[in-house]
Amino acid sequence: LTAAFACAEEHGWSSISFPAVSAGIFAVPLHICVRAYIAAVRKAGLSKVRLCLRDQPVIDAVLRELKS
């Protein structure tokens, strides 16, 4: 994620849309994926980051992490 955000910044983009990549697959627990995902989003120097989520368990996990 951080490389994608850096690329967006290099191109002068102020926003980006990003899917929940690898959330819960490859035997990585969902909460660990979400924690890393949200940490990267929070560090991004972009004015808007759209999180493209489609599965309810991922949506719920992201919402919990955003509240923490």
Side-chain angles (χ1 to χ4, degrees):
L1 285 175
T2 54
F5 295 145
C7 182
E9 289 180 45
E10 288 173 13
H11 285 86
W13 302 341
S14 61
S15 67
I16 190 171
S17 296
F18 217 84
V21 178
S22 298
I25 63 172
F26 303 119
V28 178
L30 179 59
H31 72 281
I32 292 172
C33 290
V34 168
R35 187 175 301 135
Y37 185 64
I38 297 302
V41 168
R42 286 179 170 151
K43 289 180 184 176
L46 303 169
S47 62
K48 185 182 288 184
V49 177
R50 290 177 194 89
L51 307 179
C52 303
L53 311 171
R54 64 178 201 119
D55 298 300
Q56 196 61 50
V58 176
I59 293 167
D60 293 341
V62 167
L63 290 173
R64 277 191 303 273
E65 186 64 27
L66 285 171
K67 290 179 183 177
S68 64

